Amino acid sequence: MSFLIVALAALFAAGLTLYSGFGLGTLLLPVFALFFPVEVAVGATAVVHGANNVFKVSLLGRFADRDTVLRFGLPAIVAAVFGAALLGWFSVREPLLTWSLGAWEAQITPLKLVMGALMFFFALFELLPRLRGIRFDRAHYLVGGLLSGFFGGLSGHQGALRSAFLVKTGMDTRTFVGTSSMIGLLVDAVRLATYFGLLLLAGNAVELPAEGWGLVVTGCLAAFAGVLLGKRYLEKITMDWVQTFTGVLLLAIAGLLGFGLI
């Protein structure tokens, strides 16, 4: 049953988030947390997320806009290092509020509130008619890259802010997916390397139980299948649909962050 649950979650999440550019980690982490301790679930999710990014780039990276990858991605990479380094400081801060509902315990932290507010703000630009037509030109790439990279390194939610900017640039669906995938892979590689370096310096390690690798491999393979399924319908998906879907996901994640549920 555990393999079926992980497979269905990864398949569904990878297929949908191919278009939005974010959300796989957010949707998959609670599923892995059903079977692993939280710190191990984070590691398992990172493995699936990283493998899925590599797979997406191998399929769609050739459609990426190279100028956008450089002008948006390079600032994001630099900012991701600082965000990942700052994570250690935030990890020892006390939460503003802790609440529970049955067996579920949630913590509201300053970081989650800031991230939630940013995502809510950008969601309005995708869902409100007066704001939906606004486009970000290349002059905004520096700001967008710095914001998405910094918060990606700090909390892992780089894809949401990246998509909020890129979806406003006017590129077509295929270019958007390829560009977002390429930038996401670069930022993930840098932030994971930074995390690993910090763990080595601190003398800590998070190990995945041997029996858990079967679930991780299942998650990776199901995510690959989700990407292939999503790619099959890529030409039929319009950017209007992508904007709406992105806005709805941004609102959902903003709410979950604001209430300390993720």
Side-chain angles (χ1 to χ4, degrees), residues 80-187:
V81 175
F82 289 96
L86 191 60
L87 178 62
W89 183 84
F90 269 105
S91 66
V92 297
R93 301 298 99 186
E94 292 294 328
L96 298 175
L97 178 66
T98 300
W99 62 276
S100 60
L101 181 64
W104 189 275
E105 183 173 294
Q107 291 185 338
I108 300 175
T109 66
L111 174 61
K112 291 179 180 180
L113 288 178
V114 171
M115 281 295 299
L118 278 173
M119 291 187 188
F120 178 80
F121 173 75
F122 281 113
L124 298 181
F125 278 82
E126 309 307 330
L127 299 175
L128 296 182
R130 288 189 177 183
L131 299 177
R132 189 168 189 165
I134 295 176
R135 291 287 180 264
F136 292 150
D137 57 32
R138 297 180 188 273
H140 296 94
Y141 282 0
L142 176 62
V143 174
L146 290 175
L147 275 176
S148 66
F150 177 77
F151 283 107
L154 189 57
S155 71
H157 291 90
Q158 54 128 338
L161 293 179
R162 181 181 66 246
S163 294
F165 272 87
L166 295 184
V167 80
K168 288 292 189 181
T169 59
M171 61 180 66
D172 59 58
T173 305
R174 188 172 61 178
T175 303
F176 166 78
V177 172
T179 302
S180 181
S181 299
M182 182 68 74
I183 295 173
L185 176 61
L186 294 174
V187 174

Side-chain angles (χ1 to χ4, degrees), residues 22-109:
F22 68 96
L24 175 61
T26 302
L27 296 173
L28 198 55
L29 177 58
V31 176
F32 273 129
L34 294 174
F35 310 108
F36 302 133
V38 174
E39 65 275 10
V40 177
V42 170
T45 303
V47 172
V48 176
H49 193 274
N52 189 62
N53 267 339
V54 172
F55 188 66
K56 284 195 299 183
V57 169
S58 70
L59 292 176
L60 301 164
R62 66 184 184 276
F63 301 122
D65 184 284
R66 294 184 180 181
D67 183 63
T68 301
V69 170
L70 291 175
R71 297 181 64 176
F72 194 102
L74 291 181
I77 289 172
V78 174
V81 175
F82 289 96
L86 191 60
L87 178 62
W89 183 84
F90 269 105
S91 66
V92 297
R93 301 298 99 186
E94 292 294 328
L96 298 175
L97 178 66
T98 300
W99 62 276
S100 60
L101 181 64
W104 189 275
E105 183 173 294
Q107 291 185 338
I108 300 175
T109 66

